Amino acid sequence: MINMLFQIWIVSALCAGALAAPTLTYSAGSADKPADVKILTDYFQMLGKKIQAGKNMAVAPVCNLDNAKMPVASPTPLPAVTEGLFLKHVAIGRGTQNYTCDTTNATAIPVANGAVATLYNASCVAASFPDLLAALPDVALQFNLTDGNQASLSPSNLAISGHHYFTNGTTPFFTLDYAGQELGTAPCQKNAGVPAPAGTTKGQGNQGFGTVAWLKLTTRDGATGGLQEVYRINTAGGNPPATCTGMAASFEVQYAAEYWFYAV
């Protein structure tokens, strides 16, 4: 019975279709570039191994965030979580990094203009399957959202848990008050950033301009739910081209990332 429950949980949470040779349906919300087959193959193979291993588990995994350990960037780590805070939520963010360009100057550098993302609840994955969690941003990047309220994250079935956007040019905002969860809201400011580790996914289909930095954010006045710190890690995609050559006055770059939320 325990093994059956485990298999039902992991398939329902992390796989929207069959494990063997999944069919990838592309719609108006599909990726702009062909999916990276290796990324998807590795993900489904890892998922299959988890299900096989689950058949030998004496007890089903427990969704306990005390077991979750946030990855550390290498070679330069972000500042540590402030002592006394606890991990409240882990989400996969899927959306776009937004930029503007001076179209009269082809050599101008694109200017960051906020971001928009939908957040999907990955807390139980973080607690029980950190290797699968680490793979999810790369996998999620291969599929565009159909809209900002897409109920689950392709190709997994992680459920929506909130949204991320900017309220002004310097205030990233997170709301985790979704579907009755009421985990809190967090207007933030940047505390620190480090480059993404070498070898990360450049963009959809591993084509693009690189991966946005890992960040530590701290909350501003007005945060609710006790939220104090937010980490953006295991990023995939999101970087703009080096110059504005051939770019529109405003444009978006697809990205995905893990977000770790800490509270008092």
Side-chain angles (χ1 to χ4, degrees):
M1 182 65 175
I2 287 172
N3 293 334
M4 182 179 295
L5 290 174
F6 168 79
Q7 293 176 58
I8 291 171
W9 179 86
I10 194 169
V11 172
S12 64
L14 294 172
C15 180
L19 290 179
T23 300
L24 306 178
T25 302
Y26 288 88
S27 64
S30 65
D32 299 325
K33 299 182 177 66
D36 189 314
V37 174
K38 184 179 186 305
I39 287 175
L40 298 179
T41 299
D42 289 350
Y43 171 76
F44 283 103
Q45 287 180 344
M46 188 186 307
L47 190 59
K49 290 178 181 178
K50 296 296 183 187
I51 292 174
Q52 291 300 317
K55 294 179 179 179
N56 299 318
M57 293 179 69
V59 294
V62 177
C63 184
N64 181 357
L65 280 176
D66 289 342
N67 297 329
K69 305 299 179 186
M70 185 172 62
V72 176
S74 177
T76 306
L78 288 166
V81 177
T82 299
E83 187 175 353
L85 300 185
F86 72 93
L87 180 60
K88 187 169 187 177
H89 187 65
V90 179
I92 299 295
R94 180 66 181 87
T96 61
Q97 295 287 318
N98 304 330
Y99 300 92
T100 60
C101 266
D102 178 357
T103 57
T104 66
N105 180 4
T107 63
I109 298 173
V111 177
N113 189 34
V116 176
T118 306
L119 305 175
Y120 292 90
N121 188 349
S123 292
C124 288
V125 187
S128 300
F129 305 104
D131 49 350
L132 278 173
L133 178 71
L136 280 173
D138 282 349
V139 172
L141 184 63
Q142 309 306 314
F143 302 84
N144 284 359
L145 300 184
T146 54
D147 61 62
N149 290 309
Q150 181 174 305
S152 61
L153 179 66
S154 298
S156 74
N157 278 341
L158 297 181
I160 187 171
S161 60
H163 291 90
H164 166 46
Y165 53 92
F166 276 62
T167 57
N168 58 46
T170 59
T171 306
F173 187 87
F174 300 85
T175 174
L176 298 175
D177 289 345
Y178 193 88
Q181 291 186 96
E182 297 183 358
L183 297 177
T185 58
C188 293
Q189 58 196 347
K190 181 179 176 180
N191 175 268
V194 298
T200 52
T201 300
K202 296 177 181 178
Q204 289 178 333
N206 207 23
Q207 303 174 44
F209 305 100
T211 296
V212 289
W214 293 24
L215 300 176
K216 177 180 181 177
L217 308 174
T218 54
T219 57
R220 298 177 183 267
D221 290 343
T224 63
L227 295 172
Q228 296 286 304
E229 296 177 354
V230 182
Y231 285 78
R232 183 182 78 184
I233 64 170
N234 279 342
T235 49
N239 264 0
T243 71
C244 289
T245 301
M247 302 306 297
S250 61
F251 63 95
E252 303 169 343
V253 181
Q254 300 288 330
Y255 91 105
E258 293 174 27
Y259 287 94
W260 293 58
F261 297 86
Y262 291 85
V264 290

